[in-house]
Amino acid sequence: MHLLIESAQETPAEIRDLTLKEIEQVVEAAGERAFRARQIAGWLYGRSASSFDQMSDVPLALREYLKERFVIGCVSRQTVSRSADGTRKLLLTLGDREQIETVVIPAGKRVTLCLSSQVGCAMGCEFCATARMGLHRNLGTGEILRQIFAARTALSDGEALTNYVFMGMGEPLANCPRLLKALRIMTEEWGMQISPRRITVSTVGLVPMMQRLLADIPVNLAVSLHAGANDLRDRLAPINRRYPLEALIEACRKLPLRSRRRITFEYVMLGGVNDSPEQAERLAGLLAPLRAKVNLIFFNSYPDSPFKTSQRAAVERFQAILRHANLTATVRESRGADIAAACGQLYAERHCGTRAQPAAG
Ligand code: SAH
């Protein structure tokens, strides 16, 4: 009886929330030597262990100690939708039944994983389906990482993840402490040993956090701009009222960029809204003082979406103006739209009342 009450009061912690230092503290509290922490981290982050019983070189008593206090957060349920273009979307159900989506996008030799950082989002960008949910909650560090382990199970033979982009649900820099910890675990040699060059964090432009992120870990930064003038950006990305373009660009200018690195600016092409030559000229002027490249994104529509995508000719004209101003400008083709896995479509299904049809398998 006594035991029952105790266990009802304490929810076991997620062990993949912990860095090596924190695992060391746990190990020492258990009366074991600190080097055991590296073995445990090796199992958790290097070898994708799903149970403490697998940790064969860790003493049994320590494994029992961990089992009593922690869980290895495995996804309770996951469904995979496959697009005709090879994109796979995983719907993961978390412990409290909240759901997140993560998308595997193969392109040539690259396999990119698009990661969520929050359940929903509070940023309220006018054209984004995720924004309609509002913010349900932040993801924990272990929950962020769980997407990687889950995605690995959805890979084909010989396929491996090569790139990681925080472009799924949520605003990563609004969940900074947990994101930074996840990035540390992803990149450290005792962790997942992923090169920070292969990781991109996309932000709507939370100015104070951008500096903090790059000072901590030299990942790639993508900034969602979508407009070359404040009046338009105020409307499309309301966070602009707090951090207007001048402040955002000035902050980008001061970022501690590694040599040869550039900041990517994302620009969703909304037909008749932000795709005019005049906006292109303004954008080029704005980015002139920066080491920048521009990624033009076709708007992906969803049920009741208030915008339409730009005509290809308008995108090409926009791109030509940027290139004429010596900016690198690429066009991101939409992937996985048939399974509602494309940018801005995540979680649209249940909240917009339609269901995407998996294209295969
Ligand atoms: N909060 C982060 C990550 C968001 S998703 C950010 O704002 O950068 C990554 C990109 O997809 C962002 O540039 C976002 O503006 C864009 N996006 C959102 N909705 C979209 C849609 N319906 N079609 C195309 N891109 C969209």
Side-chain angles (χ1 to χ4, degrees), residues 193-270:
Q193 302 185 348
I194 298 167
S195 162
R197 289 172 162 273
R198 299 194 169 271
I199 303 173
T200 300
V201 174
S202 178
T203 177
V204 71
L206 298 190
V207 164
M209 300 302 169
M210 290 173 7
Q211 174 79 25
R212 185 166 157 211
L213 169 73
L214 290 200
D216 228 51
I217 305 178
V219 291
N220 300 300
L221 187 70
V223 178
S224 294
L225 216 52
H226 315 315
N230 279 321
D231 51 353
L232 183 56
R233 195 166 190 270
D234 277 350
R235 186 189 132 198
L236 298 176
I239 196 71
N240 194 66
R241 295 178 203 146
R242 181 139 22 122
Y243 305 114
L245 283 170
E246 302 72 40
L248 180 57
I249 299 298
E250 181 56 14
C252 289
R253 215 174 52 76
K254 290 191 185 145
L255 285 177
L257 278 192
R258 296 269 164 116
S259 64
R260 299 213 302 273
R261 296 270 195 110
R262 287 184 290 179
I263 303 173
T264 300
F265 289 90
E266 295 162 281
Y267 197 102
V268 177
M269 300 298 289
L270 304 166

Side-chain angles (χ1 to χ4, degrees), residues 114-115 117-118 121 123 125 127-130 166-173 201-205 222-226 266-270 297-302 305 332 342-346:
C114 182
L115 293 151
S117 53
Q118 299 181 309
C121 186
M123 295 298 119
C125 296
F127 50 86
C128 178
T130 308
F166 283 87
M167 295 186 184
M169 284 163 62
E171 166 52 43
L173 296 190
V201 174
S202 178
T203 177
V204 71
V223 178
S224 294
L225 216 52
H226 315 315
E266 295 162 281
Y267 197 102
V268 177
M269 300 298 289
L270 304 166
I297 310 172
F298 277 101
F299 171 68
N300 296 303
S301 60
Y302 47 88
S305 62
R332 188 194 296 168
C343 297
Q345 293 184 322
L346 297 186

